[in-house]
Amino acid sequence: MSPKTAPVVHSSSSAGTPSSKPGEQADSAAHLAVGGEELAGTDFSHPADRAEHLGQLSLKEQVYVLKHLPADEAAEALAELDSPVASDVLENLDANDAARILAEMSPDDAVDVLDGVDEGHRDALLSNLAPEEALELRALLTFDPDTAAGVMNTEIILIQADMTVDEAIRQIRSDMEDMEMPYYVYVVDAMDILVGVLSLRDLMLTRPGTHIQDVLGKQDLITVVYDADKAEVARLLGHYNFLCLPVVDREGHLMGVVTHDDVIDILQDEASADMLGMVGAGQDEDVDTPWLQSVKLRLPWLVINMLNSTVSALIVYIFEGTIAQMALLAVLMPMVANQAGNTGQQALAVMIRQLATERFDSRKAWTAVLREGKIGLLTGLIVALGAMCGVGLLTRNFQLAGVMGGALLLDMVLGAVAGGSIPLILRALGRDPAQASSIFLTALTDGAGFFIFLGLATLMLL
Amino acid sequence: MSPKTAPVVHSSSSAGTPSSKPGEQADSAAHLAVGGEELAGTDFSHPADRAEHLGQLSLKEQVYVLKHLPADEAAEALAELDSPVASDVLENLDANDAARILAEMSPDDAVDVLDGVDEGHRDALLSNLAPEEALELRALLTFDPDTAAGVMNTEIILIQADMTVDEAIRQIRSDMEDMEMPYYVYVVDAMDILVGVLSLRDLMLTRPGTHIQDVLGKQDLITVVYDADKAEVARLLGHYNFLCLPVVDREGHLMGVVTHDDVIDILQDEASADMLGMVGAGQDEDVDTPWLQSVKLRLPWLVINMLNSTVSALIVYIFEGTIAQMALLAVLMPMVANQAGNTGQQALAVMIRQLATERFDSRKAWTAVLREGKIGLLTGLIVALGAMCGVGLLTRNFQLAGVMGGALLLDMVLGAVAGGSIPLILRALGRDPAQASSIFLTALTDGAGFFIFLGLATLMLL
């Protein structure tokens, strides 16, 4: 992340109709400026920008704006808002306005918002929708939002394998009018099992009379099962550079697709969850989270960290007599722990990103731990030598210098191996590999560092 | 990141030609199994999977495989390999094979690989290509790989604003045959200035005789300038949910497009760079980085961390006399520093992700620091009260308990505010907001924690 250059987002009116835009833009700005200050340099002509601005208004203003926007624009803006905010807004709209907006949202976006609405209110909202829409949303709401089915889009174009290309194109043209992003069409057999995926490009390049099943040819079909973890879905879509990944049930029936734009959100969310989780902040916290909510999320981990520190403190307490005889040990002791902690965090960061970006391969993972051990050993040797020279020259106590060097080396190797292993151990225990990993690591490098350093000192110096 | 469920990637033969695939697949597997072990449960029918397998072979085997694959398959596999590995392979292929493969790669992928090849060798490779291809690659190679121009694709379909829809579709059909992903077509005026972007969907839904400029209508054009930072480009594309973002020069001439698949790679790279950078690991390290290379990348930061620790140690040294009189202080002292460090890292993680995912807004950023201060104050009060009770009950020294509580509270608030501010300060200094931020933070919370705790103890207890 480098702050050096910023892109210029300019909105230029198109050649043909230069006069039509300014009016339109002023109009949307007027809609959105209700009670809120305009952001310098931002223009609200794109729904994503309008949502960003909308996110900065008060709840009352948001409800007012959405009520008065055309339903399709309100739907787009609501979909772009952060889910908890969007759910609040939806709860505060009256039932008719809410239903009008929900009906215009794509089902996956509607479900995201409805997920945060409390159950009683949600039922009331759904009963205001057309029965078949309500039915679909109810079905989607039963899926775990962290799975493929929880993020999939159900608006897809299905064609039959025995159609011809021109029949297919006719159907696509008619389906396409109310679709968000018809880049692929999905081919099913007579049993509704997914048998192929075609791009519009494939169809446009094929002679009209050809049967769809012959266009499919020797295509490989890559799909995910509906209960796959959404982070895995994102990794797969990135791996294959797909625009969409079909979601199927265990029999191979097509249930929906996960699209590239959802994947970008998933990847950002996962990267945030890992970085925040490592140090015990709430995994979906951001600067807009109410601060008391953040206190609630972080406090349990801070207490665990404090208890860990207490264990390290008890180790120091065992050696209280040693320190009383040689207070200089208390000066050097935190250096050992801090340095090993940093070494371990480097290994931890590499391993967590590895698990986040590549398919898990346990042999490769443990080879990576060995690699961290080697890095810890060499950096440990270099740092320990430096520290020995420094302590030796400053204190003229060469035994103390030896204790410092030995403790640094041992604790840094331990930190490196622990940093590499902790995510793998958490994963093997069925837990999130990142969650609180940095807290556990620090507990280990602190406790072991104090024990090794003060233990060696007690043996060698007194 | 949750390890609970894994997606099933199954490759099913399509309905029409069930007999054609097994042979083809066995064939590719044979190509790729040269000297390497087959991975259980993986099938290599997709280029991305083949590249993943290829990545696990030795350099010699990689060169052998690429030499014997058809040029288009070799090009896809090379594009999917990690760039440093791909550059090595390219350097070891003979010039004719290398040129044959490069000619099949999309220009942005070819440039990624060529970037890592040393300059003399690169010139030799380019001189083996057709002159116009070499010219284009040379031009692309001059751009900073961290900018929009460094990641853009130059294979785009251009149409003139004064064409009719049917003329445009005819041109697209003919251009499309050698394109990777023609979801959008780009409309330019007589001066070659970009005036609009159309999707194939827009064109298919429009009456054939219509002029392109009338289809464009009141469209807004969102573009990035060629020297925009690639992280900003990724953020923008995610913000607008676009498939591609056009890259223009300062006059608005279209230079290329950044596509969604590149954006996924950029986001993963940026998330890794932030997490690794925080703790002073190499920003593009992963488990495949040679370990000596990792030592070289991490050691400077470990040395800086050691120097920081030395400063903290000097602070403790000032109070050596205090500790000699009361060794218990050395027991409690690391708890203060560790707890404040954890508090600060929570704030740090939230702020770094904020900068990575949203457009920068300095007022919002500093409001977020204030928010962290409040969180630090409340969690600090709770933890400090707990620690006071604990120390008071265990030692019956209530003044010591007071010193512990006071130091914890002050250092935790300092940690929270520092964790929130450090990325903003680094950014304001024109540096990467994540780089070594955790190292600086720990230096501060350690040093201040020791000073406040031992200082208060000296004043109150002796």
Side-chain angles (χ1 to χ4, degrees), chain A residues 1 8 10 14 17 21 49 173 204 217 221 223 240 243 270 272 289 294 298 309 338 353 371-372, chain B residues 1 8 10 14 49 173 204 217 220-221 223 240 243 270 272 289 294 298 305 309 338 353 371-372:
Chain A
M1 187 168 50
V8 176
H10 66 87
S14 55
T17 52
K21 217 202 54 190
D49 292 323
R173 270 190 195 254
M204 285 182 77
L221 197 56
T223 60
Y240 291 111
L243 282 175
E270 292 292 319
S272 295
T289 309
S294 290
R298 297 183 195 179
S309 293
N338 180 18
R353 289 306 299 167
R371 174 181 169 277
E372 292 299 337
Chain B
M1 186 168 52
V8 175
H10 67 87
S14 54
D49 291 322
R173 271 190 196 252
M204 284 181 77
D220 291 316
L221 198 56
T223 60
Y240 291 111
L243 283 173
E270 292 292 320
S272 295
T289 308
S294 290
R298 297 183 195 179
N305 189 57
S309 294
N338 180 17
R353 288 306 299 165
R371 175 181 169 277
E372 292 299 338

Side-chain angles (χ1 to χ4, degrees), chain B residues 1-2 21 26 33 113-114 121 157 174 187-188 234 301 377 380 417 453:
Chain B
M1 186 168 52
S2 155
K21 216 204 55 193
V113 180
L114 283 169
H121 200 101
I157 300 183
S174 83
V187 186
V188 293
W301 292 110
L377 188 63
V417 173
F453 179 69

Side-chain angles (χ1 to χ4, degrees), chain A residues 231-418:
Chain A
E232 279 297 315
V233 176
R235 207 190 48 68
L236 266 182
L237 194 142
H239 177 67
Y240 291 111
N241 288 344
F242 288 161
L243 282 175
C244 313
L245 203 55
V247 179
V248 295
D249 65 15
R250 303 216 182 275
E251 288 78 45
H253 299 100
L254 183 62
M255 296 171 68
V257 294
V258 179
T259 56
H260 74 101
D261 53 327
D262 295 323
V263 163
I264 288 180
D265 292 341
I266 294 170
L267 289 177
Q268 294 282 40
D269 288 350
E270 292 292 319
S272 295
D274 282 351
M275 190 180 275
L276 295 162
M278 274 173 81
V279 292
Q283 298 209 347
D284 49 7
E285 250 192 85
D286 62 29
V287 301
D288 298 317
T289 309
W291 73 278
L292 281 171
Q293 174 72 8
S294 290
V295 169
K296 230 166 79 183
L297 291 166
R298 297 183 195 179
L299 194 58
W301 293 111
L302 288 172
V303 170
I304 289 176
N305 189 58
M306 197 71 191
L307 295 175
N308 287 342
S309 293
T310 309
V311 175
S312 306
L314 285 175
I315 292 172
V316 180
Y317 182 68
I318 298 171
F319 297 102
E320 199 188 356
T322 309
I323 294 171
Q325 287 180 56
M326 191 177 191
L328 197 55
L329 295 177
V331 174
L332 299 175
M333 178 183 83
M335 293 181 78
V336 175
N338 180 18
Q339 188 69 3
N342 193 181
T343 308
Q345 280 179 324
Q346 293 177 340
L348 188 65
V350 169
M351 192 59 83
I352 287 178
R353 289 306 299 167
Q354 176 69 14
L355 293 177
T357 53
E358 284 197 17
R359 190 177 304 184
F360 182 71
D361 171 349
S362 90
R363 199 179 50 181
K364 191 169 178 185
W366 289 104
T367 309
V369 174
L370 185 68
R371 174 181 169 277
E372 292 299 337
K374 288 194 284 187
I375 297 170
L377 189 64
L378 184 53
T379 53
L381 273 172
I382 298 170
V383 169
L385 269 175
M388 273 171 77
C389 296
V391 172
L393 286 174
L394 289 172
T395 67
R396 301 278 155 193
N397 182 338
F398 297 104
Q399 274 178 304
L400 178 63
V403 167
M404 179 71 182
L408 260 176
L409 176 60
L410 288 176
D411 203 24
M412 282 176 72
V413 173
L414 178 78
V417 173

Side-chain angles (χ1 to χ4, degrees), chain B residues 71-146:
Chain B
D72 58 335
E73 287 184 30
E76 279 197 80
L78 198 63
E80 292 284 336
L81 280 180
D82 286 342
S83 313
V85 179
S87 303
D88 267 3
V89 173
L90 198 66
E91 283 188 346
N92 284 281
L93 279 164
D94 70 56
N96 281 334
D97 287 322
R100 187 176 56 92
I101 295 171
L102 279 175
E104 287 289 325
M105 292 177 83
S106 71
D108 59 333
D109 292 334
V111 165
D112 273 355
V113 180
L114 283 169
D115 250 326
V117 174
D118 82 299
E119 214 156 326
H121 200 101
R122 192 200 292 165
D123 281 337
L125 286 174
L126 288 173
S127 64
N128 266 312
L129 291 175
E132 69 276 20
E133 280 171 15
L135 197 71
E136 179 172 15
L137 291 181
R138 268 185 224 282
L140 287 175
L141 278 164
T142 61
F143 295 119
D144 178 346
D146 291 331

Side-chain angles (χ1 to χ4, degrees), chain B residues 78-418:
Chain B
L78 198 63
E80 292 284 336
L81 280 180
D82 286 342
S83 313
V85 179
S87 303
D88 267 3
V89 173
L90 198 66
E91 283 188 346
N92 284 281
L93 279 164
D94 70 56
N96 281 334
D97 287 322
R100 187 176 56 92
I101 295 171
L102 279 175
E104 287 289 325
M105 292 177 83
S106 71
D108 59 333
D109 292 334
V111 165
D112 273 355
V113 180
L114 283 169
D115 250 326
V117 174
D118 82 299
E119 214 156 326
H121 200 101
R122 192 200 292 165
D123 281 337
L125 286 174
L126 288 173
S127 64
N128 266 312
L129 291 175
E132 69 276 20
E133 280 171 15
L135 197 71
E136 179 172 15
L137 291 181
R138 268 185 224 282
L140 287 175
L141 278 164
T142 61
F143 295 119
D144 178 346
D146 291 331
T147 62
V151 294
M152 73 187 176
N153 198 327
T154 48
E155 283 178 340
I156 38 187
I157 300 183
L158 277 185
I159 56 178
Q160 299 288 328
D162 55 6
M163 283 180 169
T164 62
V165 167
D166 34 330
E167 284 168 349
I169 289 185
R170 263 199 304 280
Q171 185 189 322
I172 294 164
R173 271 190 196 252
S174 83
D175 283 358
M176 220 153 72
E177 315 247 351
D178 24 70
M179 293 276 153
E180 194 186 341
M181 200 191 290
Y183 300 101
Y184 296 131
V185 296
Y186 295 89
V187 186
V188 293
D189 67 10
M191 306 291 288
D192 276 335
I193 303 267
L194 181 66
V195 294
V197 182
L198 292 174
S199 65
L200 291 187
R201 173 181 185 277
D202 296 330
L203 284 176
M204 284 181 77
L205 290 176
T206 306
R207 204 169 37 80
T210 319
H211 277 272
I212 293 295
Q213 59 215 13
D214 299 328
V215 185
L216 289 176
K218 51 186 199 235
Q219 184 184 72
D220 291 316
L221 198 56
I222 290 168
T223 60
V224 285
V225 173
Y226 71 99
D227 58 359
D229 185 79
K230 68 175 181 179
E232 279 296 317
V233 176
R235 205 190 51 68
L236 265 183
L237 195 141
H239 177 67
Y240 291 111
N241 287 344
F242 287 161
L243 283 173
C244 314
L245 203 55
V247 180
V248 295
D249 65 15
R250 301 214 184 276
E251 287 78 46
H253 299 102
L254 184 63
M255 297 172 69
V257 294
V258 178
T259 56
H260 73 103
D261 53 328
D262 295 322
V263 163
I264 288 180
D265 293 341
I266 294 170
L267 288 178
Q268 293 282 40
D269 288 351
E270 292 292 320
S272 295
D274 282 350
M275 191 180 277
L276 295 161
M278 273 173 80
V279 292
Q283 298 211 345
D284 49 7
E285 254 193 82
D286 62 29
V287 301
D288 299 318
T289 308
W291 72 278
L292 281 172
Q293 175 72 11
S294 290
V295 169
K296 228 166 77 184
L297 291 167
R298 297 183 195 179
L299 194 58
W301 292 110
L302 287 173
V303 170
I304 289 176
N305 189 57
M306 197 71 189
L307 296 176
N308 287 342
S309 294
T310 309
V311 174
S312 306
L314 286 176
I315 291 172
V316 181
Y317 183 68
I318 298 172
F319 296 101
E320 200 188 357
T322 308
I323 294 171
Q325 287 181 56
M326 192 177 190
L328 197 55
L329 295 177
V331 175
L332 299 176
M333 176 183 83
M335 293 181 77
V336 175
N338 180 17
Q339 189 68 3
N342 193 178
T343 307
Q345 280 178 325
Q346 294 177 338
L348 189 64
V350 169
M351 193 59 85
I352 287 178
R353 288 306 299 165
Q354 176 68 14
L355 293 178
T357 53
E358 284 197 16
R359 189 177 305 180
F360 182 71
D361 171 350
S362 90
R363 200 180 47 181
K364 190 170 179 184
W366 290 104
T367 309
V369 173
L370 185 67
R371 175 181 169 277
E372 292 299 338
K374 288 194 282 186
I375 297 170
L377 188 63
L378 185 53
T379 54
L381 273 171
I382 297 171
V383 169
L385 269 175
M388 273 171 77
C389 295
V391 172
L393 286 172
L394 289 171
T395 66
R396 301 277 154 191
N397 183 338
F398 297 104
Q399 274 178 304
L400 179 62
V403 168
M404 179 71 180
L408 259 175
L409 176 61
L410 288 176
D411 204 23
M412 282 176 72
V413 172
L414 178 76
V417 173

Side-chain angles (χ1 to χ4, degrees), chain B residues 47-61:
Chain B
D49 291 322
R50 282 186 229 155
E52 194 170 312
H53 186 223
L54 194 64
Q56 290 161 5
L57 303 181
S58 71
L59 179 61
K60 213 175 132 189
E61 291 163 345

Side-chain angles (χ1 to χ4, degrees), chain A residues 85-241:
Chain A
V85 179
S87 303
D88 267 1
V89 174
L90 199 65
E91 285 189 345
N92 284 281
L93 278 165
D94 70 59
N96 281 335
D97 287 322
R100 187 176 57 93
I101 296 172
L102 279 174
E104 287 290 324
M105 292 178 83
S106 71
D108 58 333
D109 293 334
V111 165
D112 274 355
V113 179
L114 283 170
D115 251 326
V117 174
D118 82 300
E119 217 157 324
H121 200 101
R122 192 200 291 163
D123 281 336
L125 286 175
L126 288 173
S127 65
N128 267 311
L129 291 175
E132 68 275 20
E133 280 172 14
L135 198 72
E136 179 171 16
L137 291 180
R138 268 184 224 283
L140 286 174
L141 278 164
T142 62
F143 296 120
D144 178 348
D146 291 332
T147 62
V151 294
M152 74 188 176
N153 199 327
T154 48
E155 283 180 339
I156 40 188
I157 300 183
L158 277 184
I159 56 177
Q160 299 288 328
D162 54 6
M163 283 179 170
T164 62
V165 167
D166 34 330
E167 284 168 348
I169 289 184
R170 262 199 304 281
Q171 184 187 322
I172 294 164
R173 270 190 195 254
S174 83
D175 283 358
M176 219 153 72
E177 314 247 352
D178 26 70
M179 292 278 151
E180 192 186 341
M181 200 191 290
Y183 299 103
Y184 296 131
V185 295
Y186 296 88
V187 186
V188 292
D189 67 9
M191 307 289 290
D192 276 334
I193 303 266
L194 181 67
V195 294
V197 182
L198 291 174
S199 64
L200 291 187
R201 173 182 186 276
D202 297 331
L203 285 176
M204 285 182 77
L205 289 176
T206 306
R207 204 170 36 79
T210 319
H211 276 273
I212 293 295
Q213 60 214 12
D214 300 326
V215 184
L216 289 176
K218 52 187 199 235
Q219 184 185 71
D220 292 316
L221 197 56
I222 291 168
T223 60
V224 284
V225 172
Y226 72 98
D227 57 0
D229 186 79
K230 68 175 182 179
E232 279 297 315
V233 176
R235 207 190 48 68
L236 266 182
L237 194 142
H239 177 67
Y240 291 111
N241 288 344

